[in-house]
Amino acid sequence: MTVPSTAPIFDQVMDPTDILDFYFEISQGDATGDILMTGEEIASFTLGTTAEATAGGVRIMSDGVRAPIADGRIIRFWMDVDPTTQSSTIFDSRGILVGIVLTITTDADPLRKKQRTVGIRVANQ
């Protein structure tokens, strides 16, 4: 799956040698674009990467203090690039746009599930 053309893209460009944290701020309210409805909370979430990220060795870190975490409506996660692919030419020029896929399950009864993709550009800086 490629990054959808309507997906937001983080402003921060990641160098393949960086280890960086990123944040999702989950919107809440009764507007059409809100992920959580008023009064809803995040019951659970998962993060994944698109095929382009996997092929480029771009990873969501999952151990210790760098494991993804939800704090209220903020989801924080850390990214790195596998050392074996950091020198790849795919990161030259504009680099690659990788997708991070967030799936949220809410505490609504019955539960609701929402999925959103956001892009992160990885390029030599």
Side-chain angles (χ1 to χ4, degrees), residues 79-110:
M79 302 288 299
D80 76 344
V81 176
D82 187 311
T84 63
T85 62
Q86 288 177 353
S87 61
S88 172
T89 58
I90 64 171
F91 301 118
D92 290 347
S93 187
R94 290 187 37 91
I96 60 171
L97 181 64
V98 300
I100 306 302
V101 182
L102 168 66
T103 305
I104 292 176
T105 302
T106 73
D107 65 351
D109 186 17

PDB file of all heavy atoms in Angstrom, residues 79-110:
ATOM      1  N   MET A  79      11.077   6.003  15.286  1.00  0.00           N
ATOM      2  CA  MET A  79      11.420   5.405  14.000  1.00  0.00           C
ATOM      3  C   MET A  79      12.929   5.320  13.846  1.00  0.00           C
ATOM      4  O   MET A  79      13.666   6.182  14.338  1.00  0.00           O
ATOM      5  CB  MET A  79      10.884   6.274  12.855  1.00  0.00           C
ATOM      6  CG  MET A  79       9.393   6.529  12.860  1.00  0.00           C
ATOM      7  SD  MET A  79       8.432   5.097  12.415  1.00  0.00           S
ATOM      8  CE  MET A  79       9.024   4.788  10.769  1.00  0.00           C
ATOM      9  N   ASP A  80      13.378   4.302  13.139  1.00  0.00           N
ATOM     10  CA  ASP A  80      14.769   4.198  12.706  1.00  0.00           C
ATOM     11  C   ASP A  80      14.814   3.469  11.374  1.00  0.00           C
ATOM     12  O   ASP A  80      13.781   3.026  10.870  1.00  0.00           O
ATOM     13  CB  ASP A  80      15.665   3.534  13.764  1.00  0.00           C
ATOM     14  CG  ASP A  80      15.499   2.022  13.860  1.00  0.00           C
ATOM     15  OD1 ASP A  80      14.494   1.470  13.348  1.00  0.00           O
ATOM     16  OD2 ASP A  80      16.371   1.378  14.453  1.00  0.00           O
ATOM     17  N   VAL A  81      15.999   3.384  10.811  1.00  0.00           N
ATOM     18  CA  VAL A  81      16.214   2.655   9.556  1.00  0.00           C
ATOM     19  C   VAL A  81      17.245   1.573   9.836  1.00  0.00           C
ATOM     20  O   VAL A  81      18.273   1.827  10.475  1.00  0.00           O
ATOM     21  CB  VAL A  81      16.705   3.594   8.431  1.00  0.00           C
ATOM     22  CG1 VAL A  81      17.019   2.808   7.165  1.00  0.00           C
ATOM     23  CG2 VAL A  81      15.663   4.673   8.142  1.00  0.00           C
ATOM     24  N   ASP A  82      16.957   0.377   9.381  1.00  0.00           N
ATOM     25  CA  ASP A  82      17.873  -0.746   9.561  1.00  0.00           C
ATOM     26  C   ASP A  82      19.267  -0.338   9.070  1.00  0.00           C
ATOM     27  O   ASP A  82      19.408   0.179   7.955  1.00  0.00           O
ATOM     28  CB  ASP A  82      17.357  -1.935   8.753  1.00  0.00           C
ATOM     29  CG  ASP A  82      18.140  -3.205   8.987  1.00  0.00           C
ATOM     30  OD1 ASP A  82      19.385  -3.170   8.927  1.00  0.00           O
ATOM     31  OD2 ASP A  82      17.504  -4.246   9.206  1.00  0.00           O
ATOM     32  N   PRO A  83      20.303  -0.551   9.902  1.00  0.00           N
ATOM     33  CA  PRO A  83      21.662  -0.160   9.503  1.00  0.00           C
ATOM     34  C   PRO A  83      22.107  -0.752   8.163  1.00  0.00           C
ATOM     35  O   PRO A  83      22.915  -0.137   7.464  1.00  0.00           O
ATOM     36  CB  PRO A  83      22.537  -0.675  10.650  1.00  0.00           C
ATOM     37  CG  PRO A  83      21.618  -0.725  11.829  1.00  0.00           C
ATOM     38  CD  PRO A  83      20.266  -1.084  11.271  1.00  0.00           C
ATOM     39  N   THR A  84      21.560  -1.893   7.771  1.00  0.00           N
ATOM     40  CA  THR A  84      21.979  -2.513   6.507  1.00  0.00           C
ATOM     41  C   THR A  84      21.440  -1.774   5.282  1.00  0.00           C
ATOM     42  O   THR A  84      21.917  -2.001   4.170  1.00  0.00           O
ATOM     43  CB  THR A  84      21.556  -3.993   6.432  1.00  0.00           C
ATOM     44  OG1 THR A  84      20.121  -4.062   6.461  1.00  0.00           O
ATOM     45  CG2 THR A  84      22.144  -4.795   7.583  1.00  0.00           C
ATOM     46  N   THR A  85      20.444  -0.896   5.459  1.00  0.00           N
ATOM     47  CA  THR A  85      19.885  -0.153   4.317  1.00  0.00           C
ATOM     48  C   THR A  85      20.139   1.353   4.404  1.00  0.00           C
ATOM     49  O   THR A  85      19.760   2.084   3.484  1.00  0.00           O
ATOM     50  CB  THR A  85      18.373  -0.403   4.177  1.00  0.00           C
ATOM     51  OG1 THR A  85      17.712   0.060   5.357  1.00  0.00           O
ATOM     52  CG2 THR A  85      18.069  -1.869   3.941  1.00  0.00           C
ATOM     53  N   GLN A  86      20.781   1.820   5.461  1.00  0.00           N
ATOM     54  CA  GLN A  86      20.968   3.264   5.654  1.00  0.00           C
ATOM     55  C   GLN A  86      21.732   3.939   4.517  1.00  0.00           C
ATOM     56  O   GLN A  86      21.501   5.114   4.244  1.00  0.00           O
ATOM     57  CB  GLN A  86      21.678   3.543   6.982  1.00  0.00           C
ATOM     58  CG  GLN A  86      20.802   3.302   8.180  1.00  0.00           C
ATOM     59  CD  GLN A  86      21.526   3.497   9.499  1.00  0.00           C
ATOM     60  OE1 GLN A  86      22.748   3.689   9.538  1.00  0.00           O
ATOM     61  NE2 GLN A  86      20.796   3.438  10.582  1.00  0.00           N
ATOM     62  N   SER A  87      22.625   3.230   3.856  1.00  0.00           N
ATOM     63  CA  SER A  87      23.415   3.835   2.780  1.00  0.00           C
ATOM     64  C   SER A  87      22.803   3.597   1.394  1.00  0.00           C
ATOM     65  O   SER A  87      23.413   3.929   0.374  1.00  0.00           O
ATOM     66  CB  SER A  87      24.851   3.309   2.804  1.00  0.00           C
ATOM     67  OG  SER A  87      24.852   1.906   2.615  1.00  0.00           O
ATOM     68  N   SER A  88      21.592   3.105   1.343  1.00  0.00           N
ATOM     69  CA  SER A  88      20.937   2.819   0.067  1.00  0.00           C
ATOM     70  C   SER A  88      20.695   4.105  -0.732  1.00  0.00           C
ATOM     71  O   SER A  88      20.414   5.167  -0.178  1.00  0.00           O
ATOM     72  CB  SER A  88      19.595   2.123   0.310  1.00  0.00           C
ATOM     73  OG  SER A  88      18.880   2.004  -0.895  1.00  0.00           O
ATOM     74  N   THR A  89      20.776   3.985  -2.041  1.00  0.00           N
ATOM     75  CA  THR A  89      20.539   5.138  -2.920  1.00  0.00           C
ATOM     76  C   THR A  89      19.066   5.564  -2.936  1.00  0.00           C
ATOM     77  O   THR A  89      18.760   6.647  -3.439  1.00  0.00           O
ATOM     78  CB  THR A  89      20.994   4.828  -4.356  1.00  0.00           C
ATOM     79  OG1 THR A  89      20.288   3.667  -4.832  1.00  0.00           O
ATOM     80  CG2 THR A  89      22.493   4.594  -4.421  1.00  0.00           C
ATOM     81  N   ILE A  90      18.167   4.752  -2.388  1.00  0.00           N
ATOM     82  CA  ILE A  90      16.756   5.158  -2.360  1.00  0.00           C
ATOM     83  C   ILE A  90      16.551   6.403  -1.492  1.00  0.00           C
ATOM     84  O   ILE A  90      15.546   7.095  -1.634  1.00  0.00           O
ATOM     85  CB  ILE A  90      15.818   4.029  -1.884  1.00  0.00           C
ATOM     86  CG1 ILE A  90      16.107   3.638  -0.431  1.00  0.00           C
ATOM     87  CG2 ILE A  90      15.871   2.841  -2.818  1.00  0.00           C
ATOM     88  CD1 ILE A  90      15.095   2.690   0.170  1.00  0.00           C
ATOM     89  N   PHE A  91      17.525   6.699  -0.625  1.00  0.00           N
ATOM     90  CA  PHE A  91      17.410   7.872   0.251  1.00  0.00           C
ATOM     91  C   PHE A  91      18.063   9.116  -0.353  1.00  0.00           C
ATOM     92  O   PHE A  91      18.043  10.177   0.261  1.00  0.00           O
ATOM     93  CB  PHE A  91      18.003   7.563   1.630  1.00  0.00           C
ATOM     94  CG  PHE A  91      17.337   6.393   2.312  1.00  0.00           C
ATOM     95  CD1 PHE A  91      18.060   5.251   2.621  1.00  0.00           C
ATOM     96  CD2 PHE A  91      15.991   6.429   2.626  1.00  0.00           C
ATOM     97  CE1 PHE A  91      17.455   4.176   3.240  1.00  0.00           C
ATOM     98  CE2 PHE A  91      15.367   5.349   3.237  1.00  0.00           C
ATOM     99  CZ  PHE A  91      16.106   4.213   3.551  1.00  0.00           C
ATOM    100  N   ASP A  92      18.645   8.990  -1.558  1.00  0.00           N
ATOM    101  CA  ASP A  92      19.244  10.146  -2.230  1.00  0.00           C
ATOM    102  C   ASP A  92      18.140  11.061  -2.756  1.00  0.00           C
ATOM    103  O   ASP A  92      16.976  10.655  -2.896  1.00  0.00           O
ATOM    104  CB  ASP A  92      20.138   9.691  -3.380  1.00  0.00           C
ATOM    105  CG  ASP A  92      21.407   9.002  -2.895  1.00  0.00           C
ATOM    106  OD1 ASP A  92      21.713   9.091  -1.688  1.00  0.00           O
ATOM    107  OD2 ASP A  92      22.079   8.364  -3.724  1.00  0.00           O
ATOM    108  N   SER A  93      18.515  12.285  -3.077  1.00  0.00           N
ATOM    109  CA  SER A  93      17.613  13.293  -3.633  1.00  0.00           C
ATOM    110  C   SER A  93      16.419  13.495  -2.692  1.00  0.00           C
ATOM    111  O   SER A  93      16.612  13.826  -1.540  1.00  0.00           O
ATOM    112  CB  SER A  93      17.168  12.871  -5.035  1.00  0.00           C
ATOM    113  OG  SER A  93      16.429  13.897  -5.645  1.00  0.00           O
ATOM    114  N   ARG A  94      15.209  13.248  -3.168  1.00  0.00           N
ATOM    115  CA  ARG A  94      14.016  13.436  -2.325  1.00  0.00           C
ATOM    116  C   ARG A  94      13.768  12.251  -1.394  1.00  0.00           C
ATOM    117  O   ARG A  94      12.864  12.287  -0.569  1.00  0.00           O
ATOM    118  CB  ARG A  94      12.786  13.682  -3.189  1.00  0.00           C
ATOM    119  CG  ARG A  94      12.809  15.038  -3.874  1.00  0.00           C
ATOM    120  CD  ARG A  94      11.520  15.359  -4.607  1.00  0.00           C
ATOM    121  NE  ARG A  94      10.288  14.917  -3.989  1.00  0.00           N
ATOM    122  CZ  ARG A  94       9.563  15.648  -3.139  1.00  0.00           C
ATOM    123  NH1 ARG A  94       9.958  16.839  -2.786  1.00  0.00           N
ATOM    124  NH2 ARG A  94       8.428  15.171  -2.652  1.00  0.00           N
ATOM    125  N   GLY A  95      14.517  11.170  -1.556  1.00  0.00           N
ATOM    126  CA  GLY A  95      14.335  10.014  -0.691  1.00  0.00           C
ATOM    127  C   GLY A  95      13.041   9.275  -0.992  1.00  0.00           C
ATOM    128  O   GLY A  95      12.565   9.274  -2.126  1.00  0.00           O
ATOM    129  N   ILE A  96      12.474   8.674   0.041  1.00  0.00           N
ATOM    130  CA  ILE A  96      11.221   7.932  -0.134  1.00  0.00           C
ATOM    131  C   ILE A  96      10.188   8.448   0.865  1.00  0.00           C
ATOM    132  O   ILE A  96      10.524   8.911   1.961  1.00  0.00           O
ATOM    133  CB  ILE A  96      11.413   6.403   0.039  1.00  0.00           C
ATOM    134  CG1 ILE A  96      11.941   6.046   1.431  1.00  0.00           C
ATOM    135  CG2 ILE A  96      12.307   5.842  -1.045  1.00  0.00           C
ATOM    136  CD1 ILE A  96      11.949   4.546   1.725  1.00  0.00           C
ATOM    137  N   LEU A  97       8.942   8.362   0.459  1.00  0.00           N
ATOM    138  CA  LEU A  97       7.823   8.701   1.329  1.00  0.00           C
ATOM    139  C   LEU A  97       7.253   7.387   1.835  1.00  0.00           C
ATOM    140  O   LEU A  97       6.797   6.563   1.041  1.00  0.00           O
ATOM    141  CB  LEU A  97       6.765   9.498   0.565  1.00  0.00           C
ATOM    142  CG  LEU A  97       5.546   9.934   1.376  1.00  0.00           C
ATOM    143  CD1 LEU A  97       5.963  10.907   2.492  1.00  0.00           C
ATOM    144  CD2 LEU A  97       4.518  10.585   0.467  1.00  0.00           C
ATOM    145  N   VAL A  98       7.321   7.190   3.148  1.00  0.00           N
ATOM    146  CA  VAL A  98       6.820   5.947   3.728  1.00  0.00           C
ATOM    147  C   VAL A  98       5.549   6.244   4.508  1.00  0.00           C
ATOM    148  O   VAL A  98       5.337   7.355   4.989  1.00  0.00           O
ATOM    149  CB  VAL A  98       7.876   5.270   4.635  1.00  0.00           C
ATOM    150  CG1 VAL A  98       9.120   4.929   3.844  1.00  0.00           C
ATOM    151  CG2 VAL A  98       8.217   6.136   5.835  1.00  0.00           C
ATOM    152  N   GLY A  99       4.715   5.242   4.613  1.00  0.00           N
ATOM    153  CA  GLY A  99       3.462   5.389   5.336  1.00  0.00           C
ATOM    154  C   GLY A  99       3.500   4.688   6.675  1.00  0.00           C
ATOM    155  O   GLY A  99       4.016   3.579   6.803  1.00  0.00           O
ATOM    156  N   ILE A 100       2.961   5.375   7.678  1.00  0.00           N
ATOM    157  CA  ILE A 100       2.749   4.795   8.991  1.00  0.00           C
ATOM    158  C   ILE A 100       1.237   4.635   9.139  1.00  0.00           C
ATOM    159  O   ILE A 100       0.486   5.605   9.010  1.00  0.00           O
ATOM    160  CB  ILE A 100       3.301   5.702  10.111  1.00  0.00           C
ATOM    161  CG1 ILE A 100       4.769   6.042   9.852  1.00  0.00           C
ATOM    162  CG2 ILE A 100       3.078   5.064  11.478  1.00  0.00           C
ATOM    163  CD1 ILE A 100       5.683   4.844   9.729  1.00  0.00           C
ATOM    164  N   VAL A 101       0.800   3.416   9.380  1.00  0.00           N
ATOM    165  CA  VAL A 101      -0.623   3.105   9.449  1.00  0.00           C
ATOM    166  C   VAL A 101      -1.019   2.940  10.914  1.00  0.00           C
ATOM    167  O   VAL A 101      -0.514   2.059  11.610  1.00  0.00           O
ATOM    168  CB  VAL A 101      -0.954   1.823   8.652  1.00  0.00           C
ATOM    169  CG1 VAL A 101      -2.446   1.533   8.703  1.00  0.00           C
ATOM    170  CG2 VAL A 101      -0.464   1.949   7.214  1.00  0.00           C
ATOM    171  N   LEU A 102      -1.907   3.819  11.364  1.00  0.00           N
ATOM    172  CA  LEU A 102      -2.401   3.799  12.737  1.00  0.00           C
ATOM    173  C   LEU A 102      -3.818   3.242  12.730  1.00  0.00           C
ATOM    174  O   LEU A 102      -4.672   3.729  11.984  1.00  0.00           O
ATOM    175  CB  LEU A 102      -2.408   5.218  13.310  1.00  0.00           C
ATOM    176  CG  LEU A 102      -3.146   5.425  14.632  1.00  0.00           C
ATOM    177  CD1 LEU A 102      -2.454   4.666  15.766  1.00  0.00           C
ATOM    178  CD2 LEU A 102      -3.259   6.910  14.953  1.00  0.00           C
ATOM    179  N   THR A 103      -4.058   2.226  13.552  1.00  0.00           N
ATOM    180  CA  THR A 103      -5.393   1.676  13.727  1.00  0.00           C
ATOM    181  C   THR A 103      -5.778   1.838  15.187  1.00  0.00           C
ATOM    182  O   THR A 103      -5.047   1.383  16.078  1.00  0.00           O
ATOM    183  CB  THR A 103      -5.450   0.186  13.331  1.00  0.00           C
ATOM    184  OG1 THR A 103      -4.973   0.046  11.986  1.00  0.00           O
ATOM    185  CG2 THR A 103      -6.864  -0.363  13.427  1.00  0.00           C
ATOM    186  N   ILE A 104      -6.886   2.506  15.428  1.00  0.00           N
ATOM    187  CA  ILE A 104      -7.364   2.769  16.786  1.00  0.00           C
ATOM    188  C   ILE A 104      -8.668   2.027  17.000  1.00  0.00           C
ATOM    189  O   ILE A 104      -9.562   2.068  16.153  1.00  0.00           O
ATOM    190  CB  ILE A 104      -7.598   4.275  17.005  1.00  0.00           C
ATOM    191  CG1 ILE A 104      -6.276   5.031  16.988  1.00  0.00           C
ATOM    192  CG2 ILE A 104      -8.345   4.538  18.302  1.00  0.00           C
ATOM    193  CD1 ILE A 104      -6.431   6.519  17.088  1.00  0.00           C
ATOM    194  N   THR A 105      -8.784   1.369  18.150  1.00  0.00           N
ATOM    195  CA  THR A 105     -10.038   0.805  18.610  1.00  0.00           C
ATOM    196  C   THR A 105     -10.498   1.667  19.776  1.00  0.00           C
ATOM    197  O   THR A 105      -9.710   1.961  20.684  1.00  0.00           O
ATOM    198  CB  THR A 105      -9.865  -0.657  19.061  1.00  0.00           C
ATOM    199  OG1 THR A 105      -9.352  -1.417  17.959  1.00  0.00           O
ATOM    200  CG2 THR A 105     -11.180  -1.259  19.518  1.00  0.00           C
ATOM    201  N   THR A 106     -11.748   2.100  19.737  1.00  0.00           N
ATOM    202  CA  THR A 106     -12.258   2.992  20.782  1.00  0.00           C
ATOM    203  C   THR A 106     -12.960   2.198  21.882  1.00  0.00           C
ATOM    204  O   THR A 106     -13.228   0.999  21.740  1.00  0.00           O
ATOM    205  CB  THR A 106     -13.251   4.010  20.202  1.00  0.00           C
ATOM    206  OG1 THR A 106     -14.476   3.346  19.894  1.00  0.00           O
ATOM    207  CG2 THR A 106     -12.686   4.688  18.965  1.00  0.00           C
ATOM    208  N   ASP A 107     -13.281   2.900  22.965  1.00  0.00           N
ATOM    209  CA  ASP A 107     -13.991   2.262  24.077  1.00  0.00           C
ATOM    210  C   ASP A 107     -15.502   2.376  23.935  1.00  0.00           C
ATOM    211  O   ASP A 107     -16.249   2.073  24.865  1.00  0.00           O
ATOM    212  CB  ASP A 107     -13.535   2.849  25.422  1.00  0.00           C
ATOM    213  CG  ASP A 107     -13.895   4.309  25.597  1.00  0.00           C
ATOM    214  OD1 ASP A 107     -14.351   4.951  24.634  1.00  0.00           O
ATOM    215  OD2 ASP A 107     -13.702   4.826  26.723  1.00  0.00           O
ATOM    216  N   ALA A 108     -15.986   2.804  22.762  1.00  0.00           N
ATOM    217  CA  ALA A 108     -17.427   2.916  22.531  1.00  0.00           C
ATOM    218  C   ALA A 108     -18.078   1.538  22.646  1.00  0.00           C
ATOM    219  O   ALA A 108     -17.424   0.507  22.468  1.00  0.00           O
ATOM    220  CB  ALA A 108     -17.689   3.512  21.147  1.00  0.00           C
ATOM    221  N   ASP A 109     -19.375   1.523  22.937  1.00  0.00           N
ATOM    222  CA  ASP A 109     -20.115   0.267  23.012  1.00  0.00           C
ATOM    223  C   ASP A 109     -21.281   0.356  22.042  1.00  0.00           C
ATOM    224  O   ASP A 109     -22.232   1.086  22.308  1.00  0.00           O
ATOM    225  CB  ASP A 109     -20.607   0.021  24.432  1.00  0.00           C
ATOM    226  CG  ASP A 109     -21.267  -1.346  24.583  1.00  0.00           C
ATOM    227  OD1 ASP A 109     -21.069  -2.206  23.703  1.00  0.00           O
ATOM    228  OD2 ASP A 109     -21.987  -1.541  25.572  1.00  0.00           O
ATOM    229  N   PRO A 110     -21.242  -0.301  20.903  1.00  0.00           N
ATOM    230  CA  PRO A 110     -20.182  -1.199  20.455  1.00  0.00           C
ATOM    231  C   PRO A 110     -18.934  -0.410  20.023  1.00  0.00           C
ATOM    232  O   PRO A 110     -19.025   0.764  19.668  1.00  0.00           O
ATOM    233  CB  PRO A 110     -20.800  -1.919  19.263  1.00  0.00           C
ATOM    234  CG  PRO A 110     -21.843  -0.982  18.739  1.00  0.00           C
ATOM    235  CD  PRO A 110     -22.340  -0.201  19.919  1.00  0.00           C
TER     236      PRO A 110
END
